[in-house]
């Protein structure tokens, strides 16, 4: 039980206190997370001054016929 | 090989040709550095007028110069202490120019919120470089934190080509805060560990 609590905390700490080199799998995970945030977050949510709409998330919601 | 390692490997092929051309033409690394900042100013100009795709292409050219200057210096055995200093100083001008371009754009769009976000991202991007430079005058190495210059530049290009500059400013801002914090914590720990024992 102690391990289950400490693992997410350790992951968060390692992401915050970054000591990994480039071209490691940890670096790849961070890059993927950043790209997901940049490309998937709807510009409207961020109040983007130069882009508008819901982006890929809006497209996905439309595909699923979800009202928003 | 990792995903990012593969991308680096593929990009290295055309860069190798450019590096060889610069060596053959005996172009000084310091001149390459200076040309890089001039091209970055042109990219900043395009950002300021919201021409993101043009800015993206210009940034690619500018950063080829930024990337190859050190390699050319090493391969021609022209590395000097001044060259390293010049490169660091000019890199800061390049960084600031791009942020100022965006600040101009957001202020002309009357978006004070994004003027502030971009200004804060710029402040912490500069502090990222400063904390490392200052730390390395006290300890041997302070290379911790994710958001270094290559990451910032690639994010700027991604933001420009895909018109997601707002999200990119958030990422650069937040991760630069973490990077500065990492460097302060790391330097504090290193200096604490290295503290000499008090004389009895």
């Amino acid at each position: 039980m102690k391990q289950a609590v400490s693992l997410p905390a350790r992951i968060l700490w390692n992401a915050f206190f970054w000591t990994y080199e480039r071209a490691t799998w940890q670096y790849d995970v961070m890059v993927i997370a950043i790209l997901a945030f940049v490309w998937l977050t709807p510009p409207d949510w961020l109040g983007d001054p130069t882009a508008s709409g819901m982006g890929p998330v809006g497209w996905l919601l439309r595909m699923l016929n979800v009202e928003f | 090989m990792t995903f990012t390692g593969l991308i680096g490997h593929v990009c290295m092929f055309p860069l190798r040709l450019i590096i060889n051309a610069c060596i053959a033409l005996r172009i000084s690394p310091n001149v390459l550095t200076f040309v890089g900042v001039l091209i970055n100013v042109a990219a900043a100009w395009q950002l300021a007028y919201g021409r993101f795709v043009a800015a993206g292409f210009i940034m690619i050219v500018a950063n080829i110069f930024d990337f190859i200057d050190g390699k050319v210096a090493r391969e021609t055995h022209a590395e000097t202490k001044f060259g390293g200093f010049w490169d660091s100083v000019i890199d800061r001008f390049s960084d600031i120019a791009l942020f100022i371009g965006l600040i101009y754009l957001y202020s002309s769009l009357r978006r004070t919120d994004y003027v502030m976000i971009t200004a804060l991202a710029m402040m912490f991007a500069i502090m990222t470089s400063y904390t490392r430079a200052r730390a390395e005058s006290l300890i041997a190495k302070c290379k911790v934190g994710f958001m270094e210059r290559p990451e910032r530049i690639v994010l700027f290009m991604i933001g420009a080509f895909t018109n997601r500059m707002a999200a990119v400013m958030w990422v650069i801002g937040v991760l630069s805060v973490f990077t500065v914090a990492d460097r302060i914590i790391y330097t504090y720990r290193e200096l604490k560990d290295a503290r000499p024992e008090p004389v009895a």
Side-chain angles (χ1 to χ4, degrees):
Chain A
M1 189 65 198
K2 194 181 169 192
Q3 279 242 318
V5 175
S6 68
L7 184 66
R10 206 172 64 215
I11 291 170
L12 274 177
W13 173 252
N14 287 345
F16 164 72
F17 193 74
W18 188 266
T19 55
Y20 302 106
E21 292 290 323
R22 295 195 183 102
T24 56
W25 71 264
Q26 293 91 344
Y27 187 85
D28 278 7
V29 170
M30 187 67 141
V31 167
I32 290 166
I34 290 170
L35 292 180
F37 174 79
V38 169
W39 284 332
L40 299 182
T41 306
D44 282 355
W45 290 6
L46 297 173
D48 192 327
T50 58
S52 59
M54 291 292 285
V57 170
W59 176 81
L60 191 70
L61 292 175
R62 270 197 302 278
M63 288 284 288
L64 298 169
N65 283 323
V66 177
E67 290 291 324
F68 56 87
Chain B
M1 185 178 278
T2 60
F3 164 66
T4 46
L6 181 69
I7 292 173
H9 197 72
V10 170
C11 291
M12 201 54 216
F13 179 72
L15 288 172
R16 189 72 256 163
L17 298 175
I18 299 168
I19 292 166
N20 290 343
C22 290
I23 293 170
L25 293 168
R26 295 167 186 261
I27 300 173
S28 159
N30 291 346
V31 171
L32 291 174
T33 308
F34 189 66
V35 172
V37 74
L38 294 180
I39 301 173
N40 257 319
V41 169
W45 192 273
Q46 297 299 313
L47 285 178
Y49 288 97
R51 294 190 282 261
F52 283 174
V53 176
F57 280 113
I58 298 171
M59 272 188 263
I60 289 177
V61 177
N63 289 291
I64 286 173
F65 281 87
D66 264 6
F67 180 78
I68 65 172
D69 53 4
K71 304 260 181 212
V72 170
R74 267 189 294 281
E75 294 193 17
T76 55
H77 306 290
E79 284 176 293
T80 61
K81 282 185 178 175
F82 177 76
F85 166 79
W86 174 248
D87 186 39
S88 299
V89 172
I90 292 296
D91 281 354
R92 300 293 80 72
F93 278 116
S94 294
D95 280 345
I96 294 169
L98 295 176
F99 282 111
I100 288 178
L102 274 182
I103 288 172
Y104 181 91
L105 172 69
Y106 292 143
S107 59
S108 63
L109 295 171
R110 303 199 183 285
R111 289 298 302 267
T112 321
D113 51 351
Y114 271 94
V115 169
M116 283 308 295
I117 290 165
T118 309
L120 287 170
M122 176 172 76
M123 180 175 87
F124 280 97
I126 301 305
M127 286 307 294
T128 295
S129 308
Y130 180 76
T131 44
R132 182 172 171 192
R134 189 71 184 88
E136 289 182 355
S137 71
L138 303 167
I139 58 174
K141 203 94 189 129
C142 184
K143 203 173 173 346
V144 293
F146 181 86
M147 191 51 68
E148 293 192 299
R149 188 157 190 268
E151 285 77 18
R152 277 201 301 274
I153 296 299
V154 171
L155 273 169
F156 256 105
M157 288 181 199
I158 288 169
F161 281 121
T162 61
N163 192 15
R164 289 291 181 272
M165 210 47 106
V168 162
M169 282 305 107
W170 276 106
V171 172
I172 291 178
V174 171
L175 292 185
S176 295
V177 170
F178 286 167
T179 301
V180 171
D182 287 350
R183 290 177 177 186
I184 293 170
I185 294 167
Y186 181 80
T187 306
Y188 173 75
R189 284 180 176 172
E190 288 289 302
L191 290 174
K192 202 171 120 195
D193 292 345
R195 194 176 293 163
E197 291 290 317
V199 181

